[in-house]
Amino acid sequence: MTNIILLGPPGAGKGTQARKLVDEKGMIQLSTGDMLREAKASGSEMGKRVAAVMERGELVTDEIVIGLIEEKLTSGAASGGFIFDGFPRTLAQADALRELLDRVGLSLDAVVEMRVDDEALVSRITGRYTCGDCGEGYHETAKPTAKEGVCDVCGSTNLKRRADDNEETLRQRLMEYYKNTSPLIGYYYAKDQLRSIDGLAEIDTVAASIAEIVG
Ligand code: AMP
């Protein structure tokens, strides 16, 4: 069992690669972004509180996301291992994750840094959409649906764009990444857990680099 963090700016391909690991290696994806979007869609009190923060591209509080991860980690074991996707995003979250893993008797095996450049991120983010039913991800030019408006995987026509996938919000999300999240690169490098890969390569090439690390 291997537990990994996928680290990288918005649009680096973390979600795409996490889905592949789930399908191919039976790992469990823990995406705080997905959990927060679910909370928002369900109309819960917490969901209402985070909605505006997310739409501005800012980070929600450490307390909220740590609570979400704690709930998942303590409510079941993953035989294939966990993929932390979009978490941790601050040094405080990284410390909290270490404590949580200790508490449940798990360890972190690797932190995969997906390197991409900012220009690629804008076109990746502004062109992407997802099937609202099965979660498959698409992109206007890089990976369009075979039939316009219909999901290749499940046939649904419920294709959606994220509210925060616009150029202006992306600028704020990138700022948050450089300010709060990129220090984690040094943090995990110092712990000898960082493995950096080229996130600009083709999806399958990136997947192969990650497979080498996951084993
Ligand atoms: P993502 O789907 O990972 O791009 O996350 C979408 C948005 O959810 C982010 O822009 C933040 O507002 C919020 N979010 C997701 N994960 C975290 C986290 N670990 N810490 C703080 N905010 C988060």
Side-chain angles (χ1 to χ4, degrees), residues 45-114:
E45 268 315 304
M46 186 271 274
K48 283 183 204 151
R49 256 188 295 146
V50 297
V53 178
M54 290 173 76
E55 251 160 70
R56 286 197 301 270
E58 294 168 6
L59 294 185
V60 310
T61 64
D62 288 336
E63 197 192 350
I64 288 179
V65 289
I66 292 166
L68 288 170
I69 289 286
E70 179 171 15
E71 218 173 279
K72 300 279 177 180
L73 274 187
T74 50
S75 70
S79 53
F82 289 108
I83 310 154
F84 298 96
D85 161 12
F87 179 92
R89 256 179 162 96
T90 64
L91 288 167
Q93 291 177 23
D95 281 334
L97 177 62
R98 199 196 43 212
E99 278 168 32
L100 271 174
L101 288 171
D102 273 354
R103 212 193 314 152
V104 293
L106 295 175
S107 58
L108 181 64
D109 298 288
V111 178
V112 181
E113 183 208 355
M114 301 177 67

Side-chain angles (χ1 to χ4, degrees), residues 53 56-59 167-177 179:
V53 178
R56 286 197 301 270
E58 294 168 6
L59 294 185
E167 221 171 316
E168 196 183 318
T169 309
L170 174 62
R171 234 171 282 139
Q172 181 63 34
R173 287 159 69 199
L174 274 177
M175 187 88 84
E176 298 284 354
Y177 178 79
K179 205 165 66 181

Side-chain angles (χ1 to χ4, degrees), residues 140-181:
E140 280 165 8
T141 50
K143 187 190 165 190
T145 51
K147 189 169 167 216
E148 207 187 321
V150 182
C151 175
D152 295 353
V153 176
C154 74
S156 164
T157 52
N158 180 21
L159 299 174
K160 300 197 296 200
R161 281 176 194 274
R162 276 171 50 167
D164 59 350
D165 275 353
N166 57 74
E167 221 171 316
E168 196 183 318
T169 309
L170 174 62
R171 234 171 282 139
Q172 181 63 34
R173 287 159 69 199
L174 274 177
M175 187 88 84
E176 298 284 354
Y177 178 79
Y178 290 120
K179 205 165 66 181
N180 296 303
T181 310

